[in-house]
Amino acid sequence: MAKGNISIHAQNIMPVIKKWLYSDKDIFIRELVSNACDAISKYKVLAMKGDAPAAEEYRVDVACDKEAGTLTINDNGIGMTAEEIEKYICQVAFSGAEEFLKQYKPEEGESSGIIGHFGLGFYSAFMVSSKVTIDTKSWQDAPAVRWVSEDGMEYEIEESVRTERGTTITLYLNEDDKEFLDLYTLTSTLEKYCAFMPTPIYAQEIKPAAEPKEGEEPVIELPQQVNDPSPLWLKRPSEVTDEEYRDFYHKVFHDYEEPLFWIHLNAEFPFNLKGILYFPKMKNEFSASEGQVKLFSNQVFVADNIKEIIPEFLLLLKGVVDCPELPLNVSRSFLQNDGYVKKVSSYITRKVADRLTSEMNTKREDYQKYWDDIHPFVKYGCIRDEKFYDRVKDALLFKTVDGEYLTLKEYGDRNFTDDKKTVFYASDEKRQAQMIQLYRDQDKDVVLFDTLIDNNFISFLEYTGKNEISFRRVDASMEGLTESSEVSEETRKDLEEKFRKSLRQEDLEVKLEKFKTSELPAMVTVEEQSRRFTEMSRQWGRDFSMPEKRTLVLNTAHPLIEYLKDADADSDMTEMVMSQVMDLAEMARQPLDSERMIAFLSRSNKLLTILCGK
Ligand code: ADP
């Protein structure tokens, strides 16, 4: 039996790299510039340990040259010897970075600041180039080397004329990829991926010097720095001012509104994670989906809105999260199964929940002001993640129609009775004004649930509260608005018959109650659960046309109902009064449909005419 190792050859792997490894072509910039930054970080480590002299300035220069068709990335980092090129560049998938880390192991909790992991990044250059050269001079005393390859598979190594320590990568761009020779495109790509890399990065276009006009100085375009090497999230929260947080927000998210507040994530143990999450001002419920959380790994941009790391509901926020332990070429399937990723995700959730609770406990007035902006997000979070709900439940507020903000406990203290734990709510302050007023007259608080998420949120609260507390819209029943009174079943049946007949509504249900007010003859109520069901199915785009359970509740304390009890069911007047009572009750909930509206108006005019004796 023969045994052997399966070897990977460049011929097999190059097409894979070109096609699959990176979904976005422009990522080669990230890879090469981060290699350059790494080379500088490595040199800094050597200088710090006293093995090499410190440099005056550390920098990466990226330059495009339309005429030559080249893009160059130059650094004054550690450089490479011919042997190192052989080892690190020519052995694809052998990660030099990993070996370096083994040698210079960072202390516990300290990040090495070295980005590479896979030993494949450099080869992304071949996604866009027909030829790549490396000119490099090692920090060690060794001759400078030039490496040239046209396809990433065959290469030549020769001596280089380079005299300065460091590395220059030159890409001869393919015809199709010449866009990167445009300074604007180049700068935006650098800003996308490298905006916070740890070494100053400059971009510049190499142009033949324009002939200066007579008597004028020649114009020299200086390279522009494209990055901020020490991003705010790496600073200690106690050292950052509110103004700095705000400036960072405006700059990074191009949002001119002020953020409401922010959380500075700053964990070192059990894993390294830094970041800032902002709660943006939301213009309306729908703009909530415009959040953006940028994920970085050691100051290198990875991607926006990776929902495996940032729980989906938190993607309504805007922010930056830097997880140095995260591999750069993150694939979704890897992330989904990664224990580390799950820990990061629940850490972030916990921090957000704790922050909300502490805002509520220590700055209640400010928190109440934010609540209108943040409540859809908080509610969504509760529904999506029960752990989040558990941590944040004491910071949930209910806004009343009178502009107060109450916790559930505060609402309960004021409104619950021993046997009834009902929260009364309105979903439309104007349409439900009359019902709201009835509750107000009884000193009951009505809270406002008027966003899309609320129906789901209410059901969620009932469910998690094991139905001990229930939520009822103000027009769902007359609970709390009536007094006990004796009405015979016979009278009820009789009135029900009369109404059914004159309104031609066979299935109308009629109830008799003694309202606490004698001003209203009747109300129409719609049973809570059936209404919620209809609304939710409509929200999901389905219409089950399940009839809502409506009841006409008559007020025995009102003279009109007294009158109708004994009225002749066949007279025109009785029919008109009944229709009018029904329509008015209906209108207190929602507008009439057009046919009924016309009938109502003409009947109203008729009644007025009769009233005037004409
Ligand atoms: P990775 O960075 O993931 O290790 P790369 O293919 O990007 O993989 O690079 C392989 C190795 O080549 C690096 O680890 C490093 O040792 C070396 N290297 C690449 N670019 C540079 C550079 N600009 N200066 C010095 N060494 C470099």
Side-chain angles (χ1 to χ4, degrees):
M1 194 174 69
K3 269 190 175 177
N5 285 326
I6 296 170
S7 60
I8 300 169
H9 294 291
Q11 282 91 328
N12 315 89
I13 214 166
M14 276 318 289
V16 179
I17 292 176
K18 281 193 185 172
K19 217 168 154 188
W20 297 115
L21 188 60
Y22 300 110
S23 41
D24 301 313
K25 220 176 205 185
D26 57 1
I27 232 163
F28 78 94
I29 298 236
R30 179 187 88 180
E31 295 299 309
L32 298 178
V33 176
S34 59
N35 275 353
C37 290
D38 270 2
I40 288 172
S41 306
K42 287 174 190 172
Y43 187 80
K44 281 189 189 162
V45 175
L46 295 171
M48 228 164 56
K49 292 194 186 278
D51 295 349
E56 236 171 65
E57 186 192 9
Y58 294 102
R59 61 186 280 160
V60 175
D61 280 278
V62 185
C64 51
D65 184 334
K66 283 198 179 111
E67 205 158 297
T70 57
L71 192 68
T72 53
I73 297 113
N74 179 46
D75 67 69
N76 60 350
I78 195 169
M80 282 178 278
T81 62
E83 295 77 50
E84 282 166 340
I85 288 216
E86 285 279 356
K87 189 166 163 196
Y88 299 137
I89 298 292
C90 304
Q91 293 180 35
V92 179
F94 178 88
S95 176
E98 237 152 26
E99 195 181 67
F100 183 89
L101 273 187
K102 268 187 220 134
Q103 234 172 4
Y104 290 95
K105 224 171 178 228
E107 299 296 314
E108 188 81 36
E110 147 193 325
S111 157
S112 70
I114 290 166
I115 301 156
H117 268 298
F118 283 102
L120 287 177
F122 169 73
Y123 281 86
S124 61
F126 290 96
M127 298 198 298
V128 291
S129 319
S130 58
K131 180 167 132 185
V132 178
T133 67
I134 306 176
D135 281 284
T136 179
K137 182 159 169 46
S138 163
W139 68 285
Q140 288 160 309
D141 187 17
V145 200
R146 160 171 276 225
W147 177 95
V148 188
S149 174
E150 291 189 355
D151 54 7
M153 294 181 261
E154 284 178 22
Y155 62 90
E156 281 171 14
I157 295 188
E158 58 198 32
E159 248 184 57
S160 164
V161 291
R162 187 181 181 107
T163 52
E164 309 270 299
R165 186 198 67 244
T167 304
T168 306
I169 312 281
T170 307
L171 311 182
Y172 294 80
L173 292 182
N174 295 329
E175 214 37 59
D176 285 354
D177 301 307
K178 290 255 157 84
E179 67 199 78
F180 295 105
L181 295 178
D182 173 54
L183 185 62
Y184 178 77
T185 312
L186 177 64
T187 312
S188 351
T189 315
L190 285 166
E191 279 167 357
K192 174 173 167 195
Y193 290 113
C194 313
F196 299 106
M197 283 191 192
T199 307
I201 300 162
Y202 296 86
Q204 152 185 42
E205 181 172 356
I206 312 278
K207 284 195 266 200
E211 279 290 312
K213 290 197 189 114
E214 252 194 48
E216 280 181 20
E217 291 289 309
V219 187
I220 301 170
E221 281 175 36
L222 289 174
Q224 294 294 319
Q225 184 166 346
V226 294
N227 67 330
D228 166 9
S230 36
L232 208 60
W233 69 80
L234 292 182
K235 299 207 171 119
R236 239 186 273 255
S238 59
E239 288 166 3
V240 187
T241 65
D242 286 359
E243 204 182 331
E244 284 176 296
Y245 281 119
R246 290 200 185 96
D247 286 349
F248 184 81
Y249 176 81
H250 297 311
K251 219 173 104 200
V252 177
F253 300 102
H254 310 289
D255 183 346
Y256 298 104
E257 294 265 11
E258 294 295 344
L260 299 170
F261 57 97
W262 48 85
I263 306 174
H264 196 144
L265 305 166
N266 188 15
E268 285 181 358
F269 190 80
F271 46 77
N272 200 339
L273 182 139
K274 305 250 156 42
I276 306 172
L277 292 176
Y278 290 92
F279 288 73
K281 194 156 177 48
M282 293 182 192
K283 284 157 218 107
N284 57 53
E285 206 184 335
F286 304 100
S287 74
S289 56
E290 286 168 12
Q292 183 188 24
V293 181
K294 292 170 171 291
L295 181 66
F296 292 81
S297 173
N298 252 328
Q299 299 174 240
V300 181
F301 175 68
V302 178
D304 276 326
N305 303 346
I306 301 247
K307 68 173 190 321
E308 284 75 9
I309 301 218
I310 324 288
E312 206 181 343
F313 70 92
L314 293 180
L315 294 180
L316 304 177
L317 305 181
K318 293 188 178 170
V320 289
V321 171
D322 192 337
C323 315
E325 279 123 41
L326 196 73
L328 269 183
N329 58 345
V330 277
S331 88
R332 290 275 155 103
S333 56
F334 164 79
L335 288 177
Q336 272 158 10
N337 302 316
D338 194 60
Y340 167 74
V341 167
K342 289 210 180 84
K343 265 190 247 150
V344 170
S345 163
S346 55
Y347 171 82
I348 295 176
T349 309
R350 205 170 69 226
K351 282 286 163 190
V352 171
D354 290 354
R355 179 58 193 270
L356 290 169
T357 311
S358 92
E359 285 286 308
M360 163 77 186
N361 292 339
T362 58
K363 295 186 205 153
R364 171 121 183 213
E365 263 187 36
D366 287 339
Y367 182 71
Q368 290 182 175
K369 282 187 210 133
Y370 307 146
W371 183 251
D372 287 346
D373 281 289
I374 64 171
H375 76 98
F377 144 78
V378 180
K379 290 170 179 171
Y380 184 52
C382 289
I383 296 170
R384 293 303 296 237
D385 183 342
E386 213 159 314
K387 281 205 196 110
F388 178 75
Y389 166 69
D390 275 340
R391 288 188 93 90
V392 89
K393 62 174 179 244
D394 294 332
L396 294 175
L397 289 177
F398 298 96
K399 185 183 179 181
T400 73
V401 291
D402 298 315
E404 276 188 281
Y405 294 84
L406 306 175
T407 62
L408 187 56
K409 170 147 192 332
E410 289 160 352
Y411 184 91
D413 289 347
R414 276 160 53 165
N415 300 282
F416 290 170
T417 55
D418 287 342
D419 55 336
K420 285 272 182 207
K421 294 190 163 68
T422 311
V423 179
F424 301 106
Y425 71 94
S427 61
D428 186 324
E429 255 179 299
K430 287 197 190 116
R431 282 193 186 168
Q432 293 148 10
Q434 185 169 53
M435 281 308 255
I436 293 172
Q437 191 53 43
L438 293 182
Y439 282 92
R440 207 180 261 133
D441 291 345
Q442 302 304 320
D443 286 329
K444 294 249 181 236
D445 293 300
V446 174
V447 304
L448 203 54
F449 282 134
D450 57 359
T451 44
L452 263 182
I453 190 88
D454 280 322
N455 259 346
N456 296 289
F457 181 61
I458 292 168
S459 303
F460 166 82
L461 286 180
E462 286 173 343
Y463 174 77
T464 43
K466 304 205 173 52
N467 290 323
E468 274 172 26
I469 292 171
S470 60
F471 290 80
R472 190 156 313 163
R473 201 165 91 176
V474 284
D475 57 355
S477 79
M478 294 300 290
E479 185 188 317
L481 302 175
T482 55
E483 295 168 353
S484 63
S485 75
E486 291 288 315
V487 187
S488 76
E489 179 58 18
E490 209 185 321
T491 318
R492 192 195 69 77
K493 275 229 158 93
D494 177 51
L495 270 168
E496 184 171 79
E497 265 317 301
K498 278 185 187 161
F499 269 94
R500 281 184 176 176
K501 208 169 134 213
S502 74
L503 302 176
R504 289 178 206 63
Q505 287 190 27
E506 288 299 304
D507 53 357
L508 182 74
E509 227 180 277
V510 172
K511 235 170 140 182
L512 262 60
E513 297 270 9
K514 188 172 179 209
F515 293 10
K516 285 183 183 164
T517 171
S518 58
E519 280 172 28
L520 286 174
M523 291 304 289
V524 170
T525 60
V526 175
E527 200 268 328
E528 179 76 13
Q529 297 303 332
S530 76
R531 194 206 78 243
R532 269 195 231 171
F533 184 77
T534 313
E535 281 174 3
M536 275 198 220
S537 61
R538 220 176 284 147
Q539 196 179 327
W540 300 116
R542 281 176 242 140
D543 206 344
F544 290 125
S545 61
M546 207 189 73
E548 294 175 325
K549 274 166 79 186
R550 300 147 67 82
T551 310
L552 176 67
V553 190
L554 303 175
N555 182 8
T556 54
H558 196 278
L560 265 183
I561 304 304
E562 246 342 277
Y563 160 81
L564 288 173
K565 262 197 229 164
D566 306 320
D568 172 8
D570 296 325
S571 89
D572 281 355
M573 193 55 167
T574 311
E575 196 181 312
M576 274 202 286
V577 172
M578 285 192 175
S579 302
Q580 199 75 355
V581 164
M582 178 73 191
D583 282 354
L584 285 168
E586 196 77 87
M587 283 163 89
R589 283 189 67 242
Q590 59 181 28
L592 297 178
D593 64 32
S594 47
E595 211 173 300
R596 261 180 92 178
M597 191 65 191
I598 293 169
F600 168 78
L601 291 173
S602 94
R603 189 188 322 115
S604 301
N605 288 323
K606 213 186 245 175
L607 284 168
L608 279 178
T609 318
I610 294 170
L611 195 66
C612 300
K614 293 282 169 187

